[in-house]
Amino acid sequence: MDRSIFYNAHHSPVGAFASFTLGYKGPKGGLGLELTGPADENVYIGLEEREGGRFRALPFYGGAEVAAEDYDVEGLSDMRFANALAPFADDQITRQLGAGIDEWKAGDLTFRIISPPREVPDPDHHDVRDAVAPAVIVELTVDNREGERERRCFFGYGGSDRYTGMRLLDEPGLTGVGQGTTFAIASTDEGLYAGIGWQPEAILTPRLKENLPFMLGSVGLVVGTVAPGETRTFRFAVAFFREGTATTGIRARYLYRRWFDRIEQVLQHALEQADATVKIAAQFDASLRSRLSDDRAFMAAHAIRSYFGATQLLEREDGRPLWVVHEGEYRMMNTFDLTVDQAFFELALNPWTVRNELDLFVEKYAYEDQVRFPGSSELHPGGIAFTHDMGVANAFSAAGQSAYEQAGLCGCFSYMSSEELTNWILTAGLYVAHTGDLAWAEGQREIFLACLQSLENRDHPDVALRNGVMGLDGARCQGGSEITTYDSLDASLGQARNNVYLAVKGWSAYLFLQDVLNRLGEPDAAARARRQAERAAATIVAAKDENGLLPAVIGEGVDARIIPAIEALVYPFVAGLPADFPELRATLQAHFEAVLQPGICRFADGGWRLSSTSRNSWLSKIYLCQYVAERIMGYAPDAEADRAHLAWLLDPENAYYAWSDQMLEGKAVGSRYYPRGVTSILWTASGDRPLEEIRSLLVSQPAGVA
Amino acid sequence: MDRSIFYNAHHSPVGAFASFTLGYKGPKGGLGLELTGPADENVYIGLEEREGGRFRALPFYGGAEVAAEDYDVEGLSDMRFANALAPFADDQITRQLGAGIDEWKAGDLTFRIISPPREVPDPDHHDVRDAVAPAVIVELTVDNREGERERRCFFGYGGSDRYTGMRLLDEPGLTGVGQGTTFAIASTDEGLYAGIGWQPEAILTPRLKENLPFMLGSVGLVVGTVAPGETRTFRFAVAFFREGTATTGIRARYLYRRWFDRIEQVLQHALEQADATVKIAAQFDASLRSRLSDDRAFMAAHAIRSYFGATQLLEREDGRPLWVVHEGEYRMMNTFDLTVDQAFFELALNPWTVRNELDLFVEKYAYEDQVRFPGSSELHPGGIAFTHDMGVANAFSAAGQSAYEQAGLCGCFSYMSSEELTNWILTAGLYVAHTGDLAWAEGQREIFLACLQSLENRDHPDVALRNGVMGLDGARCQGGSEITTYDSLDASLGQARNNVYLAVKGWSAYLFLQDVLNRLGEPDAAARARRQAERAAATIVAAKDENGLLPAVIGEGVDARIIPAIEALVYPFVAGLPADFPELRATLQAHFEAVLQPGICRFADGGWRLSSTSRNSWLSKIYLCQYVAERIMGYAPDAEADRAHLAWLLDPENAYYAWSDQMLEGKAVGSRYYPRGVTSILWTASGDRPLEEIRSLLVSQPAGVA
């Protein structure tokens, strides 16, 4: 393995919308809460050299610090310490990243950050304190067996919160530093001391110990010593704590506030639970590595981290839990076209979060709309649809409104009504299929029926003229046209109407409606859904050209070729719905095989190009289509493509953003620091009950609804 | 008046540690909470041109905004609006700044920010909701009498909080925008709408009104319209709200939380009270202008604003109020050498805040120390002293510790034990003299006695060898030496031991001890204090050279000349203590007259140079010494110096920082954005009962302790 090791990765508690991001060189990581990207703080991790007096650190610092000159304008004070800290050379450093443990080694130092993927049971029925305590564990080990003198080691940072200064914790049993009530690192180990200063050296080698609590300083460190001949590990917690009302629009606090009133309590609890946390993380990492190629295990681990960094578990004023996944750098909340892709991961891990998202879409983020043909102002009956998202950056949007969608547009920022409608159906269908929660489905009977009606109406107002494919745009577009989740692509994937990607997604949605409505004792409606699925399949099959290739947009002269034509095959397969559309299957497979070629849907480096006419490819969707190609169509894993995709993520221009989705010829240009890559979890499922199989990887207990 | 109008000024509620800072060109002001300086946000204030379709704004914007490209990586969407907004030309704009009202006029636009200086009565006995509601009022007036079409006007900003996105308020009766639960602007006026976008134009001239709540946008505006032939004023509140625990070390929340749970309640309340607020502000400004020269009225108004921006009224967990003044850009909390200078202003306005500060110094920030002679390690009895500050940036320091003081130093960041000891005595003495609160003095009997003993011990361990002047440094210095509040100056003002500035301050402190201890029925102790005052006076008088000049440091060969030798005359004078040291008075006056000359203590521009050997001069202290020179010594106001001092503040290199203290040859190099300039309030007092006189300016009710 000679891949670069200097990439940022999330290290996040579950549901805290927080990350101790680390790995990109310079002051580019640190303690981030609710941010669009890394906190860009100095992080200090290191130890004293064997000879003593000088120190080596991992290369995660280097920015300007506030210094004495700001106070002492004529430089009359002698507060400066000679520089005694240098970074390890790159070639002295190794790193191994799993989803749960990120381990660095350099010289006699081992530094591990432990933040396992873990289930959050339904908070309505379980005490989820351990799962949602907003902290990650850090271990700092010094191997001083070869050393002949006592050596210091240290862990600390310079906080970037504008509102508060660095402080020493003042809590019995804890040694630590932090910022305000919001950020802290601390240990309960013996023999440590903490200090604040303008330079690490002022804390590592203080002239007088009385000067350690220099609160004007911008750097806080916790320092330990290791005797000669010994190996010693210090364990820390890195905690995040938002005390007050966390969101507007829907006023909510973090659910962890049920158990924690102060960050010091979080630190204590996390350290008490640390043995178990480390064990869960190590087990998970071993299991993930055993199931995947090295490249895939890495990408999956990296993606899972970025997902958890975006999760936010809230509690509404009436006590109901509220699950949010923020959209990476954009921070849109529960963007529905991410929810559906992340549903495989969430359903396997904690299906109640999927139900929670679906419920809030029904409660607040559904709306009724009419539809019209392109170029016409005549309105036709439409029906229910769902918003693109629920707001942005801790601000929930108004009822029936997203943060994103704007009227009068034909490209990016237009409405996604039809796709979000299919997303509710598919996500709800997956939930019902996986959990068997018919009581919930029963409660949503009217919604399922309304979804069917709306999906039909968006095909054609005249039943006789329906072809199973979306043909009308929502009235909310006000003359614009709907788009798909591929919002920043050209018409090959960006336009919703008659898009072959969305056509297959619609076909898939009809199959789920058939299944659920049958279970709900609605045979007539189920039959209508079946009929629409058949129409869709027929329309798609009929669209292929003489070479068996499908156009990106059916019947509108957009002959671009797109891989995601096959994407929506994933839903019925994962749900175990009957696979009784052999001609559609064969058509899509033939299309796929024909387009996955250099010059069409493959980049020069072997990476997958989602659309033949766009340079913009999306990793989360590639992962999904890889699963379809391998598990449904039977192709072997494309190791060359995996290598290319991994190289994109680790490109020095991209590696700052942890896991990113949108890659413009391999450069992360959008959707950075992004949660959607957990579609990769499907790689781990080789059998016919993929969600159960994934659950067995993610948690030790069997699946089920709480 | 041709002075520059583009300088930042604070516009602050009382006790909210918040400021709507505005006035420096560019994105250099905005809604700041708990910051070291301006928030650096875009602020949009303007109106449509008479011709319609294009807009003019005050020049407080221009930074980069998040834009569509971050989402739409290939630029496929048409979200961009043609630029229709331009700043007014500089020569079209006028400004008039008072302490309460800051008024801008440009074309047909008038923009006023109203934030009057106001008393906070003791919260233990009064409902102070009106005084501490964390909001300021804004009025936007359009004179469209000459206009022939309806014209839009607008007020808004782009928030800089990292943790939340811009949002539209969702509260019946309010039209506004904000960020999180923390920042908002809103109006209750009819006929306004609010929007969010990436450009002001997207909100001013939306293609479709449905697109106004575009929550991905970085700019929020409230827009009104004014009919042709009419003049209309829209009134807004600009509010700040910190909901949770605001401080660590001592856990406290903002006291305004007693009445407000949400920022929307603050906005509503502030707007309901706005008529009264505007009236108080206008009265105050008229009164201030009537008492002072134009230059002085300006500087006093500017300084009062920066003081209020640093004030923070908290409530401890047990319900007790806690008053903090943060130290401007440094944010140190209740820095004692500022408290004593700000005491004139605070005592006149709300004496309980001074008592509150003194009480917390006794409760948590007093300590016992021994003392030693320079160069000697022998320890001698010392006694009580007080910390330099109580912490920094919302982090209270540990008991008996400041954020600032470090051991082992001889310059900046060393201990200020002796000066802070005099500061407690002087501040407490002023409080008792002004309020007559003998019950409080009685409760502090042991502290007053301990202060006397400590002050004596810091003179000389052998009573027979005492000369009334500090001669020993605190043991906490660990071989270093104590400094004065002039920490960044050279030995002329920076060294505490034998400093003539501190010697006069000590003399003054002994006089107050004599007074208070007499009132407390401690005649022996009072006599000791008197004896020490006499010794100090004799020592100072004896120190003058053949030309009548005093050295900066007595008997240590530091012959620099300093204006602040006269500074401490202010305390007994303001308190009305007997002025029975004619020889000292005459010596100081002769010294002052001799040093206030070009080449000694005057800069080339006529500004006062505090020390002949330093280029660093401090405006707050100059103001104080001006008062001494004029009221005690009888010199005429030095209008040339006032002009120079004003020019320093308005220098384009300084004007960003609102009111600043430390000026290195006229450049603000430290202590910027600073509260201490309220020493200027003494200029308004021409009589023998200055605090009563100031109170009559600051509030309409008579003085007194609640």
Side-chain angles (χ1 to χ4, degrees):
Chain A
M1 240 190 332
D2 58 351
R3 66 172 77 126
S4 163
I5 60 172
F6 296 111
Y7 53 87
N8 267 334
H10 285 82
H11 307 84
S12 299
V14 180
F17 195 12
S19 177
F20 174 38
T21 294
L22 204 74
Y24 198 78
K25 285 168 83 170
K28 296 296 181 181
L31 281 65
L33 177 64
E34 303 169 343
L35 299 184
T36 60
D40 291 348
E41 296 175 336
N42 282 305
V43 178
Y44 299 95
I45 302 153
L47 82 173
E48 194 169 5
E49 294 183 357
R50 288 188 189 173
E51 298 72 28
R54 294 192 57 81
F55 300 84
R56 290 277 170 185
L58 295 173
F60 305 131
Y61 65 96
E65 294 287 351
V66 174
E69 294 73 51
D70 292 315
Y71 298 75
D72 175 26
V73 299
E74 298 209 77
L76 304 173
S77 169
D78 184 17
M79 286 284 282
R80 194 177 300 279
F81 284 71
N83 187 357
L85 179 65
F88 285 105
D90 289 3
D91 62 8
Q92 294 179 283
I93 309 173
T94 64
R95 180 184 193 180
Q96 184 172 37
L97 181 96
I101 300 177
D102 189 6
E103 181 175 282
W104 299 80
K105 285 179 180 289
D108 295 330
L109 178 79
T110 301
F111 180 75
R112 308 205 306 164
I113 313 175
I114 297 111
S115 55
R118 62 193 296 171
E119 175 188 20
V120 180
D122 186 344
D124 280 344
H125 303 285
H126 299 269
D127 180 332
V128 301
R129 177 168 54 163
D130 292 353
V132 304
V136 303
I137 297 297
V138 158
E139 289 176 348
L140 184 68
T141 301
V142 175
D143 179 351
N144 200 20
R145 287 175 299 175
E146 304 290 313
E148 292 175 1
R149 55 167 76 207
E150 192 175 78
R151 289 160 77 189
R152 279 159 286 190
C153 60
F154 53 94
F155 174 45
Y157 78 114
S160 61
D161 182 68
R162 291 170 94 181
Y163 306 114
T164 52
M166 292 296 291
R167 67 174 178 121
L168 296 181
L169 299 194
D170 179 24
E171 185 83 2
L174 284 180
T175 307
V177 297
Q179 219 181 1
T181 60
T182 311
F183 305 95
I185 65 174
S187 178
T188 50
D189 291 345
E190 297 292 322
L192 293 163
Y193 70 86
I196 297 175
W198 279 319
Q199 295 175 261
E201 291 85 353
I203 308 162
L204 295 171
T205 54
R207 295 189 188 112
L208 295 162
K209 71 175 172 30
E210 291 82 353
N211 290 348
L212 285 171
F214 183 56
M215 296 170 70
L216 305 185
S218 45
V219 176
L221 298 186
V222 183
V223 183
T225 53
V226 180
E230 289 190 1
T231 294
R232 185 165 177 191
T233 295
F234 296 98
R235 192 180 265 172
F236 299 85
V238 177
F240 308 88
F241 191 73
R242 177 69 74 208
E243 180 189 350
T245 303
T247 56
T248 54
I250 298 173
R251 284 174 64 86
R253 63 174 191 171
Y254 281 90
L255 190 115
Y256 57 66
R257 292 282 285 103
R258 285 188 185 174
W259 301 280
F260 304 109
D261 287 328
R262 299 183 296 119
I263 197 168
E264 290 84 354
Q265 297 167 338
V266 175
L267 293 160
Q268 291 274 17
H269 180 83
L271 289 164
E272 285 163 12
Q273 301 293 319
D275 285 341
T277 304
V278 173
K279 196 172 158 192
I280 294 169
Q283 280 178 347
F284 183 87
D285 286 353
S287 181
L288 188 66
R289 288 195 182 104
S290 74
R291 298 207 200 184
L292 294 175
S293 73
D294 192 59
D295 286 348
R296 286 196 169 180
F298 175 85
M299 283 193 281
H302 203 28
I304 287 169
R305 292 176 169 283
S306 289
Y307 166 82
F308 278 113
T311 59
Q312 183 179 45
L313 178 52
L314 301 167
E315 181 181 64
R316 296 166 77 165
E317 290 183 309
D318 60 10
R320 282 184 289 165
L322 198 174
W323 179 258
V324 176
V325 182
H326 285 256
E327 197 185 335
E329 66 167 320
Y330 305 135
R331 293 192 294 187
M332 283 180 275
M333 299 160 83
N334 286 340
T335 303
F336 212 161
D337 28 321
L338 273 71
T339 304
V340 68
D341 291 336
Q342 293 155 187
F344 309 110
F345 186 82
E346 281 190 18
L347 284 172
L349 192 61
N350 26 236
W352 76 267
T353 64
V354 176
R355 187 186 66 226
N356 187 272
E357 292 160 326
L358 291 166
D359 284 344
L360 189 53
F361 271 110
V362 170
E363 176 190 335
K364 186 165 181 183
Y365 296 104
Y367 60 90
E368 294 282 328
D369 198 14
Q370 294 175 292
V371 294
R372 56 180 149 194
F373 285 104
S376 165
S377 60
E378 187 186 355
L379 291 172
H380 300 279
I384 193 170
F386 300 90
T387 59
H388 167 269
D389 59 71
M390 300 180 176
V392 58
N394 292 336
F396 283 97
S397 49
Q401 302 277 348
S402 69
Y404 175 99
E405 288 156 312
Q406 296 267 286
L409 299 177
C410 292
C412 203
F413 309 110
S414 184
Y415 279 86
M416 297 189 194
S417 314
S418 291
E419 180 161 10
E420 307 307 1
L421 175 59
T422 68
N423 285 337
W424 196 91
I425 297 164
L426 293 169
T427 308
L430 283 169
Y431 171 77
V432 172
H434 174 60
T435 64
D437 186 357
L438 283 178
W440 181 83
E442 183 59 54
Q444 304 296 332
R445 175 189 301 270
E446 296 310 317
I447 301 297
F448 280 110
L449 288 167
C451 286
L452 172 61
Q453 184 66 61
S454 184
L455 210 51
E456 289 176 325
N457 285 347
R458 288 161 198 273
D459 172 349
H460 200 288
D462 182 344
V463 178
L465 294 176
R466 285 182 184 157
N467 68 352
V469 176
M470 174 201 168
L472 294 90
D473 292 298
R476 279 196 177 195
C477 294
Q478 300 207 33
S481 48
E482 289 185 31
I483 57 174
T484 76
T485 184
Y486 293 100
D487 56 355
S488 59
L489 268 80
D490 62 14
S492 65
L493 270 166
Q495 173 183 320
R497 200 184 55 248
N498 290 322
N499 193 288
V500 72
Y501 150 75
L502 196 55
V504 184
K505 207 163 175 179
W507 165 81
S508 190
Y510 283 122
L511 287 188
F512 274 93
L513 286 171
Q514 177 193 6
D515 177 63
V516 174
L517 291 168
N518 262 327
R519 296 201 204 197
L520 291 175
E522 299 275 1
D524 293 349
R528 277 166 49 208
R530 175 74 192 185
R531 184 77 196 93
Q532 282 292 97
E534 288 166 355
R535 286 178 174 133
T539 301
I540 296 161
V541 169
K544 67 183 173 199
D545 67 14
E546 61 278 14
N547 300 314
L549 291 175
L550 291 166
V553 181
I554 297 170
E556 296 200 25
V558 180
D559 287 336
R561 307 303 176 186
I562 58 172
I563 291 174
I566 70 169
E567 180 181 321
L569 289 175
V570 69
Y571 306 107
F573 177 80
V574 166
L577 299 188
D580 53 352
F581 285 83
E583 201 180 0
L584 175 65
R585 200 9 238 288
T587 299
L588 293 173
Q589 182 156 352
H591 167 82
F592 172 72
E593 190 159 321
V595 303
L596 191 63
Q597 302 294 339
I600 310 177
C601 287
R602 202 187 269 283
F603 290 106
D605 62 3
W608 287 18
R609 178 177 190 146
L610 291 178
S611 163
S612 64
T613 55
S614 174
R615 300 172 299 154
N616 189 356
S617 211
W618 298 24
L619 279 176
S620 66
K621 296 294 204 175
I622 291 173
Y623 297 166
L624 208 48
C625 291
Q626 286 182 308
Y627 177 74
V628 171
E630 294 162 24
R631 275 298 297 125
I632 304 178
M633 298 179 173
Y635 296 100
D638 185 345
E640 183 198 359
D642 289 340
R643 260 194 309 279
H645 302 151
L646 176 55
W648 297 351
L649 288 170
L650 297 185
D651 182 306
E653 286 184 46
N654 304 338
Y656 168 71
Y657 299 102
W659 192 91
S660 296
D661 204 3
Q662 290 192 42
M663 297 283 180
L664 201 70
E665 291 183 332
K667 299 296 178 188
V669 289
S671 304
R672 293 164 295 203
Y673 213 63
Y674 212 65
R676 201 183 209 166
V678 288
T679 50
S680 55
I681 203 66
L682 287 166
W683 290 333
T684 67
S686 55
D688 289 337
R689 299 180 62 79
L691 296 187
E692 284 76 358
E693 200 176 342
I694 294 167
R695 181 170 179 81
S696 76
L697 167 68
L698 294 173
V699 289
S700 41
Q701 304 91 328
V705 190
Chain B
M1 241 191 330
D2 57 354
R3 65 172 78 127
S4 163
I5 60 171
F6 296 111
Y7 52 86
N8 267 334
H10 284 82
H11 308 83
S12 300
V14 179
F17 194 12
S19 177
F20 174 38
T21 295
L22 203 75
Y24 198 78
K25 286 168 82 168
K28 297 295 182 182
L31 282 66
L33 178 63
E34 304 170 342
L35 299 184
T36 60
D40 290 348
E41 296 175 337
N42 281 305
V43 178
Y44 299 96
I45 302 153
L47 83 172
E48 193 169 6
E49 293 184 355
R50 288 186 189 174
E51 298 72 27
R54 295 193 56 80
F55 300 84
R56 290 278 170 184
L58 296 173
F60 305 130
Y61 65 97
E65 293 288 351
V66 174
E69 294 73 49
D70 293 316
Y71 299 75
D72 176 25
V73 298
E74 298 209 76
L76 304 172
S77 168
D78 185 18
M79 287 284 282
R80 195 176 300 279
F81 284 71
N83 187 357
L85 180 65
F88 285 105
D90 289 2
D91 62 8
Q92 293 179 285
I93 309 172
T94 64
R95 180 184 194 180
Q96 183 172 38
L97 181 96
I101 300 177
D102 188 7
E103 181 174 282
W104 299 80
K105 285 179 179 289
D108 294 330
L109 178 78
T110 301
F111 180 77
R112 308 205 306 163
I113 314 175
I114 297 111
S115 55
R118 61 193 294 172
E119 176 188 21
V120 181
D122 186 344
D124 281 343
H125 304 283
H126 299 269
D127 180 332
V128 300
R129 177 167 55 163
D130 291 353
V132 303
V136 303
I137 296 298
V138 158
E139 289 178 348
L140 184 68
T141 301
V142 175
D143 179 351
N144 200 19
R145 286 174 300 176
E146 304 290 314
E148 292 175 1
R149 55 166 76 206
E150 192 175 78
R151 291 160 77 188
R152 280 160 285 191
C153 60
F154 53 94
F155 174 43
Y157 79 112
S160 61
D161 182 68
R162 291 170 93 182
Y163 307 113
T164 53
M166 293 296 291
R167 68 175 178 118
L168 296 180
L169 299 193
D170 178 24
E171 184 83 3
L174 284 181
T175 306
V177 297
Q179 219 182 359
T181 59
T182 313
F183 305 95
I185 66 175
S187 177
T188 50
D189 291 346
E190 298 291 323
L192 293 164
Y193 70 87
I196 297 175
W198 279 318
Q199 295 175 261
E201 291 85 353
I203 309 162
L204 295 171
T205 54
R207 298 191 187 111
L208 296 162
K209 70 175 172 31
E210 291 82 354
N211 290 347
L212 284 171
F214 182 56
M215 296 169 71
L216 305 186
S218 45
V219 175
L221 297 185
V222 183
V223 183
T225 52
V226 180
E230 290 192 359
T231 294
R232 185 163 177 193
T233 295
F234 297 97
R235 190 180 267 175
F236 299 86
V238 177
F240 308 86
F241 191 72
R242 176 70 73 207
E243 179 190 351
T245 303
T247 55
T248 54
I250 298 172
R251 284 174 64 87
R253 63 176 193 171
Y254 280 90
L255 191 115
Y256 56 67
R257 291 283 285 103
R258 285 187 185 175
W259 301 280
F260 305 109
D261 287 326
R262 299 183 297 118
I263 197 167
E264 290 84 354
Q265 297 168 336
V266 175
L267 293 160
Q268 291 274 18
H269 180 83
L271 289 164
E272 285 163 12
Q273 301 294 319
D275 285 343
T277 304
V278 173
K279 196 170 159 194
I280 294 169
Q283 281 178 345
F284 183 88
D285 287 353
S287 181
L288 187 67
R289 288 195 181 102
S290 74
R291 298 207 202 185
L292 295 174
S293 72
D294 192 59
D295 288 347
R296 286 196 168 181
F298 175 85
M299 282 193 281
H302 204 26
I304 288 169
R305 292 176 169 282
S306 290
Y307 166 82
F308 279 112
T311 59
Q312 182 179 46
L313 178 52
L314 301 167
E315 180 181 64
R316 297 166 76 165
E317 290 184 308
D318 60 10
R320 281 184 289 167
L322 197 174
W323 178 259
V324 176
V325 182
H326 285 255
E327 196 185 335
E329 64 167 322
Y330 306 135
R331 293 192 293 187
M332 283 180 275
M333 299 161 82
N334 286 340
T335 302
F336 213 162
D337 29 320
L338 274 70
T339 304
V340 68
D341 290 336
Q342 293 154 188
F344 309 109
F345 187 81
E346 281 190 20
L347 283 172
L349 193 61
N350 25 236
W352 76 269
T353 64
V354 176
R355 187 186 67 227
N356 187 272
E357 293 160 327
L358 291 166
D359 284 344
L360 189 52
F361 271 110
V362 170
E363 176 191 335
K364 186 167 181 182
Y365 296 103
Y367 60 91
E368 292 283 328
D369 198 13
Q370 293 175 293
V371 294
R372 56 180 150 194
F373 285 104
S376 163
S377 59
E378 187 188 353
L379 292 172
H380 300 279
I384 194 171
F386 299 90
T387 59
H388 168 268
D389 58 71
M390 301 180 176
V392 58
N394 291 337
F396 283 98
S397 48
Q401 303 276 348
S402 68
Y404 174 98
E405 289 156 311
Q406 295 266 286
L409 300 176
C410 291
C412 202
F413 309 111
S414 184
Y415 278 86
M416 298 189 194
S417 313
S418 291
E419 180 160 10
E420 306 308 359
L421 175 60
T422 69
N423 285 338
W424 196 91
I425 297 165
L426 294 168
T427 308
L430 283 168
Y431 172 77
V432 173
H434 175 59
T435 64
D437 186 357
L438 282 179
W440 181 83
E442 183 61 54
Q444 304 297 332
R445 175 189 301 269
E446 297 308 317
I447 301 296
F448 280 111
L449 288 168
C451 286
L452 172 60
Q453 184 66 60
S454 184
L455 210 51
E456 289 175 324
N457 285 348
R458 287 162 198 273
D459 173 348
H460 200 288
D462 182 344
V463 177
L465 296 176
R466 286 181 183 156
N467 68 353
V469 176
M470 174 201 169
L472 295 89
D473 292 298
R476 280 197 178 195
C477 293
Q478 300 207 33
S481 49
E482 289 184 32
I483 58 174
T484 76
T485 185
Y486 293 100
D487 56 355
S488 59
L489 268 80
D490 62 13
S492 65
L493 270 166
Q495 173 183 321
R497 200 182 55 248
N498 290 321
N499 193 289
V500 72
Y501 151 74
L502 196 56
V504 183
K505 207 162 175 180
W507 165 81
S508 189
Y510 283 122
L511 287 186
F512 275 92
L513 285 172
Q514 178 195 4
D515 178 62
V516 174
L517 290 167
N518 262 328
R519 296 202 205 196
L520 291 175
E522 299 275 0
D524 293 349
R528 276 164 51 206
R530 175 72 192 186
R531 184 77 197 91
Q532 281 293 96
E534 288 167 355
R535 285 178 175 134
T539 301
I540 296 161
V541 169
K544 68 184 173 198
D545 65 15
E546 61 276 18
N547 300 315
L549 291 176
L550 291 165
V553 181
I554 298 172
E556 296 199 26
V558 179
D559 288 336
R561 308 303 177 186
I562 58 174
I563 291 175
I566 71 169
E567 181 182 318
L569 289 174
V570 70
Y571 306 105
F573 177 80
V574 167
L577 298 189
D580 52 353
F581 285 82
E583 199 180 0
L584 175 66
R585 195 20 232 287
T587 299
L588 293 172
Q589 182 156 352
H591 166 83
F592 171 73
E593 190 159 322
V595 302
L596 192 65
Q597 303 295 337
I600 309 178
C601 288
R602 202 186 268 284
F603 290 105
D605 62 4
W608 288 19
R609 177 178 192 147
L610 292 178
S611 163
S612 63
T613 55
S614 175
R615 299 172 300 155
N616 188 355
S617 212
W618 297 25
L619 278 176
S620 65
K621 296 295 204 174
I622 291 173
Y623 297 166
L624 208 49
C625 290
Q626 286 183 309
Y627 177 74
V628 172
E630 293 163 25
R631 275 296 299 124
I632 303 179
M633 299 179 173
Y635 296 101
D638 185 345
E640 183 198 0
D642 290 338
R643 261 195 307 282
H645 302 151
L646 176 55
W648 296 352
L649 288 170
L650 297 184
D651 183 306
E653 286 184 46
N654 304 339
Y656 168 72
Y657 298 102
W659 192 91
S660 296
D661 204 4
Q662 290 192 42
M663 297 283 181
L664 200 71
E665 290 183 332
K667 299 297 177 187
V669 288
S671 303
R672 294 165 294 204
Y673 213 63
Y674 213 66
R676 200 183 209 166
V678 288
T679 50
S680 56
I681 202 67
L682 287 166
W683 289 333
T684 66
S686 55
D688 290 336
R689 299 180 62 79
L691 296 187
E692 283 77 357
E693 199 175 344
I694 294 167
R695 182 170 178 82
S696 76
L697 166 68
L698 294 173
V699 291
S700 41
Q701 304 90 328
V705 190

